[in-house]
Amino acid sequence: MPSLTISAASKPPSFARGFPLSLDLKPDATIGEVKNAVAAKFPKFYASRQKLTLPSERKPLDDDVKLSALGAQELQIKDLGPQISWRTVFLIEYVGPLIIHPLIYHFPKLIYGQDVKHSALQKYVYAFVMLHFLKRELETILCIHRFSHGTMPFRNVFKNSAHYHILSGLFLALDVYRPKYSATSPFVIGTYRDNETFLWVVTAVWAFAELSNLQTHLTLRSLRPAGTRVRAIPFGYGFGLVSCPNYFFESIGWLVVCAMTNSIAAHVFAAFAIYTMSIWAIKKHRNYKKEFGKEYPRGRKAIFPFVL
């Protein structure tokens, strides 16, 4: 069996000081098997914590790449730090608004120093937010989302969660449940915000967006068998015009909340969320076109039909 040398690309963790390391592996061994062999030597240096590259290169090698295809006798390893599963990250992110909104909605006197008689507008927004994040939690629990990378650095969970816990959680709840939007407020009474027909129309648009978002998630799930990193061209509902209709429909859902309330917090969160989803969509769109070339539908945009 040929010998493979694993050297440290940077200072290794304290529990894995034995680099460079020599491993005897079969020629058709994969990068995933190399990681498992390293983990067997250093149990705390588990596979998802490792980044393997060719010497002098920064791009990580995929787990399914075979050593025979690389023709290399040496690889470099880097510690990515403690990892956390993406599924756990999603659960942590979405639970924030599910806790924050009920606290502020049901205990306004503790927050605003007075009781708030909730308007129909506030009740609708509360229902929309709770149903949206309950849907996301259920999608995560039921494994609707399939991940190309199973984990992420643990330190990133705080940055990722802040977006949801602070912007769509604390700031949005504090703004839309305050007395300004209450049933006795002149900002609501006699305006479109108090119009039952308007509220039913926006409810229909919001429900359309949420159900459409779910349908596109189910389509994406069907393209990747569990435990694989298989990629395929998505077709079907929503995918005729854009590569990432899930982001498009989610944008519509949050724009509905903006239109209902004209809340500064809603506008800030929607702007930040749509900007972030647009960046993700553009990246995914480019990857689709690069991977599938002429097979990929030419008329599709990234996230917004005919625009972007």
Side-chain angles (χ1 to χ4, degrees), residues 4-7 53-55 72-76:
L4 177 69
T5 300
I6 308 293
S7 59
T53 63
L54 290 169
Q73 295 182 328
E74 180 181 356
L75 296 176
Q76 289 190 325

Side-chain angles (χ1 to χ4, degrees), residues 235-249:
F235 290 98
Y237 180 77
F239 290 94
L241 297 175
V242 295
S243 294
C244 300
N246 50 323
Y247 297 151
F248 171 65
F249 290 126

Side-chain angles (χ1 to χ4, degrees), residues 189-222:
I189 297 174
T191 70
Y192 70 90
R193 299 180 184 86
D194 198 30
N195 184 286
E196 185 176 1
T197 301
F198 170 76
L199 293 175
W200 276 109
V201 169
V202 294
T203 297
V205 176
W206 178 87
F208 159 76
E210 290 291 319
L211 292 173
S212 297
N213 174 267
L214 173 60
Q215 178 57 49
T216 57
H217 284 162
L218 291 171
T219 299
L220 292 171
R221 180 184 186 274
S222 69

